[in-house]
């Protein structure tokens, strides 16, 4: 069976052309976090240099599959009608324009999570992604008609699906079991690092 | 090489005798969440009946290793001096009494995460665990001299270590690769379900 992957080439080769993707640009406001904050979170997820190498290998396997991964995750989300208003219109009816507009950025996040260095540009764009899940900035990028805040609990809970299902996509690269374990552990750490930083705008800094 | 596991028998066979472990007792106040909230979070992490079966198998493998797992996780935390005050005294110096007092409950959590049904007792005790990480209740159970609040970002970030390292312990059960994948995915979902609920006291309900 031939597998046909559909990650748009712009996502892989020219992310700077993705509408609303402001990674590394002046349109991503400065994160309130410092590089020391980031270093401590990197240590807390235990993301090592070995993990960084494993993530580079993971990126080579996942890039072509990124769009399929996002499609599968969204299919899982669509099974939960109480979530429909966050990606659809506020009444839960489908909003294909919004879904199409946000998908290349979601796809690209998978690649970025494997390849981007943990620097100021990383901090700034992750801050922006976090804000775009909350009342602060949701819907603005795509001028979308949708509920204006994704509850933090669903953001966190759905991370389990992202982590658990990523293994099957990594496995398609034909790596040894040991290499697959390394890539999957590294991807798990990277995902949790990202999601942790995305929660910052949800929480009073004194508690976060 | 003979492996010697050290999970105390009370943790495995008589958890109700663990000091401060109030699972299912009237000493665990009612969670503010409803069973419908829990059902939606179960769906969000995609914890299925097949996962529940895989978790039962995982419990049989992890129970004897639970104390070793917690020891290894705590060793990893000790590498991060800026976290020392949360488990040690407020100045970061070791607090062996507090560590010893809280360890059986941490051990038991691994077993509970694989075996407990998702019911009102689950909700109530997870709410209690969340509160015990925050200013609301940290240190009270063990009358401990320690910082009174674990920042949410470290709780979330460290989840990556729990999920990633659990695989090597599950692998010691001699399961097939496919069974190991099932158990690890199920454990990942269960851990994220727990940690998600633990974040509730950190966040304004309108955002959570």
């Amino acid at each position: 069976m031939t597998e046909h992957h559909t990650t748009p080439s712009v996502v892989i080769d020219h992310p700077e052309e993705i509408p609303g993707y402001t990674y590394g640009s002046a349109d991503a406001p400065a994160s309130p976090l410092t590089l020391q904050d980031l270093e401590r979170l990197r240590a807390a997820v235990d993301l090592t240099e070995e993990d960084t190498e494993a993530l580079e290998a993971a990126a080579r396997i996942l890039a072509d599959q990124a769009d399929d991964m996002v499609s599968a995750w969204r299919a899982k989300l669509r099974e939960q009608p109480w979530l429909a208003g966050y990606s659809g219109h506020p009444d839960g009816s489908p909003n294909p324009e919004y879904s199409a507009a946000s998908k290349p950025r979601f796809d690209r996040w998978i690649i970025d999570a494997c390849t981007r260095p943990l620097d100021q540009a990383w901090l700034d764009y992750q801050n922006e992604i976090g804000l775009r899940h909350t009342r602060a900035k949701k819907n603005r990028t795509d001028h979308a008609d949708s509920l204006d805040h994704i509850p933090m609990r669903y953001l966190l809970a759905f991370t389990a699906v992202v982590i658990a299902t990523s293994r099957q996509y990594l496995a398609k690269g034909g790596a040894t079991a040991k290499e697959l374990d390394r890539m999957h552990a590294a991807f798990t750490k990277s995902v949790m690092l990202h999601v942790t930083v995305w929660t910052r705008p949800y929480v009073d800094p004194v508690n976060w």
Side-chain angles (χ1 to χ4, degrees), chain A:
Chain A
M1 198 175 86
T2 303
E3 291 197 74
H4 178 64
H5 299 302
T6 54
T7 306
S9 61
V10 65
V11 168
I12 297 174
D13 297 321
H14 294 286
E16 72 283 359
E17 296 178 12
I18 299 171
Y21 179 79
T22 56
Y23 206 123
S25 90
D27 293 332
S31 168
L33 305 184
T34 67
L35 290 170
Q36 186 191 63
D37 294 331
L38 175 55
E39 169 54 23
R40 291 182 173 188
L41 290 172
R42 183 206 59 72
V45 301
D46 195 32
L47 191 81
T48 65
E49 286 191 28
E50 191 180 29
D51 288 316
T52 302
E53 289 169 21
L55 285 167
E56 288 168 10
R60 291 190 287 274
I61 296 169
L62 297 183
D64 284 343
Q65 301 183 82
D67 199 71
D68 295 339
M69 293 167 75
V70 172
S71 295
W73 295 340
R74 287 180 161 182
K76 188 64 72 177
L77 292 169
R78 278 195 302 273
E79 295 172 7
Q80 303 166 66
W82 50 87
L83 303 183
Y86 305 121
S87 55
H89 291 286
D91 67 1
S93 61
N95 188 336
E97 296 78 11
Y98 181 29
S99 297
S102 58
K103 196 174 194 191
R105 297 194 301 272
F106 200 168
D107 293 359
R108 180 66 207 187
W109 169 72
I110 295 169
I111 300 172
D112 283 345
C114 297
T115 58
R116 292 285 192 175
L118 300 177
D119 57 13
Q120 188 65 45
W122 185 96
L123 270 182
D124 296 346
Y125 195 62
Q126 303 318 316
N127 179 59
E128 178 72 8
I129 292 178
L131 291 168
R132 290 181 185 183
H133 285 78
T134 73
R135 280 175 204 87
K137 285 202 168 180
K138 187 168 179 290
N139 301 334
R140 290 198 199 172
T141 305
D142 304 308
H143 310 287
D145 173 50
S146 187
L147 292 180
D148 71 351
H149 183 86
I150 299 174
M152 194 189 82
R153 64 188 183 277
Y154 292 124
L155 174 66
L156 291 180
F158 193 67
T159 303
V161 175
V162 170
I163 291 172
T165 63
S166 62
R167 190 174 182 92
Q168 70 201 56
Y169 296 99
L170 289 167
K172 292 183 185 175
T176 65
K178 187 178 175 186
E179 290 167 340
L180 177 58
D181 283 353
R182 277 191 54 195
M183 289 190 290
H184 190 216
F187 191 71
T188 297
K189 295 171 183 183
S190 180
V191 169
M192 284 309 304
L193 179 64
H194 284 78
V195 173
T196 296
V197 171
W198 296 348
T199 64
R200 196 213 54 82
Y202 285 94
V203 185
D204 188 320
V206 79
N207 291 330
W208 189 77

